[in-house]
Amino acid sequence: WVLKNLPEDKGPVVIFMHHTYAELSLIATLQFERLMKKVDSRLLALISAHEHLAANRKTKIGERVVDELVIGSTIDPPQEATLIDFRTGPNGPQLHVQSIPAISSAALSCTGQGLSGISLEQCEQKLDPLPPACQPLIAPPPKPPQSPEELSAAQNARAKNVLACLGVGEGKDRPLDDPKVFATVAGAADQTLALCLSSAGSLVQGHKKDGWDLAKAIQQMRQPANLVGNRSIVVSAAATLAAAK
């Protein structure tokens, strides 16, 4: 499909894909080599994801080495968004990629670099100890659900506790049935608390095989493996063209 629909002009090409190039099957890599023959030096970069950690890789495809920009996840740890910006630089098109971590830490920032968003220190103040309204979130969980109905009930019970912690919602027993539940969370007065809880919750998700609960995740937020700094990457068409020759 890509080969058939790729524009024939001489503009730069950026390929977006979910999995990284290294995770592709043999058949997929052969298809990629066919694509490379068509785009040639027009390929500015690959943008991939899946691994939940931003990185800049030099990926070899056939005889070419290209920039592969792996972007992070807004849900899984370490939570980070990515701003992708196409610009015209002094030597032609450029691709600017800036990662934006949900929780910033001064320990992972360069000297003189300002922190973006909420800091780890702010989260520690919010979560240690948890406000009284949030204490049910760290109560011992009930027995594991044994049916889809029990799982749904457990999920709604946790959601009810989260809304109560944030001081929003109407105390409904099944808040997840409400299509406006995410807008309700977005309306919380204490957005710092909401984001810090989200970050801790992402650690629970990332370590569910290890049996982590929210209390464990809050304790581990400061560990280096659970933190990430800002990343700024620039890829220029001029450099890509020179590498292709």
Side-chain angles (χ1 to χ4, degrees):
W1 183 92
V2 174
L3 286 168
K4 291 180 179 178
N5 291 275
L6 190 68
E8 296 293 340
D9 61 46
K10 299 301 181 182
V13 173
V14 177
I15 298 176
F16 291 78
M17 53 202 228
H18 177 78
H19 289 88
T20 63
Y21 184 82
E23 297 173 291
L24 297 181
S25 67
L26 175 61
I27 294 177
T29 57
L30 293 175
Q31 292 282 43
F32 239 101
E33 291 185 19
R34 289 179 58 206
L35 179 60
M36 287 294 295
K37 291 178 180 179
K38 184 168 183 178
V39 300
D40 194 28
S41 59
R42 292 170 58 194
L43 182 63
L44 185 57
L46 304 179
I47 295 181
S48 60
H50 188 66
E51 296 186 351
H52 306 158
L53 187 63
N56 182 12
R57 298 177 179 174
K58 299 297 183 181
T59 298
K60 186 174 183 180
I61 306 176
E63 299 302 318
R64 280 277 312 276
V65 176
V66 301
D67 284 277
E68 181 176 2
L69 309 178
V70 185
I71 63 175
S73 170
T74 58
I75 299 175
D76 290 279
Q79 289 180 309
E80 56 182 344
T82 303
L83 177 64
I84 301 174
D85 185 15
F86 295 89
R87 306 179 185 179
T88 299
N91 297 311
Q94 290 183 339
L95 178 63
H96 290 232
V97 178
Q98 175 69 56
S99 67
I100 307 171
I103 306 299
S104 299
S105 171
L108 295 178
S109 298
C110 298
T111 302
Q113 180 185 21
L115 297 181
S116 62
I118 306 303
S119 71
L120 173 64
E121 291 70 27
Q122 287 176 286
C123 283
E124 290 178 328
Q125 292 174 4
K126 289 288 183 181
L127 302 181
D128 188 18
L130 277 173
C134 301
Q135 289 297 319
L137 294 174
I138 57 174
K143 65 177 183 178
Q146 302 298 313
S147 68
E149 293 75 19
E150 289 183 4
L151 176 61
S152 177
Q155 291 172 334
N156 274 280
R158 287 197 297 268
K160 182 179 179 180
N161 288 337
V162 170
L163 295 179
C165 170
L166 297 177
V168 295
E170 302 172 354
K172 299 177 181 178
D173 288 334
R174 295 189 60 84
L176 297 180
D177 292 344
D178 182 357
K180 298 181 180 179
V181 64
F182 296 109
T184 299
V185 172
D190 194 339
Q191 288 294 305
T192 298
L193 175 60
L195 182 59
C196 294
L197 279 176
S198 174
S199 182
S202 77
L203 289 177
V204 175
Q205 165 69 12
H207 292 272
K208 57 187 176 183
K209 68 178 184 299
D210 303 316
W212 283 26
D213 57 14
L214 188 64
K216 174 76 171 181
I218 291 173
Q219 295 173 356
Q220 295 295 318
M221 286 182 70
R222 181 170 280 279
Q223 295 302 312
N226 300 324
L227 296 172
V228 66
N230 295 343
R231 293 174 175 86
S232 183
I233 302 167
V234 178
V235 179
S236 69
T240 300
L241 181 60
K245 293 180 179 179

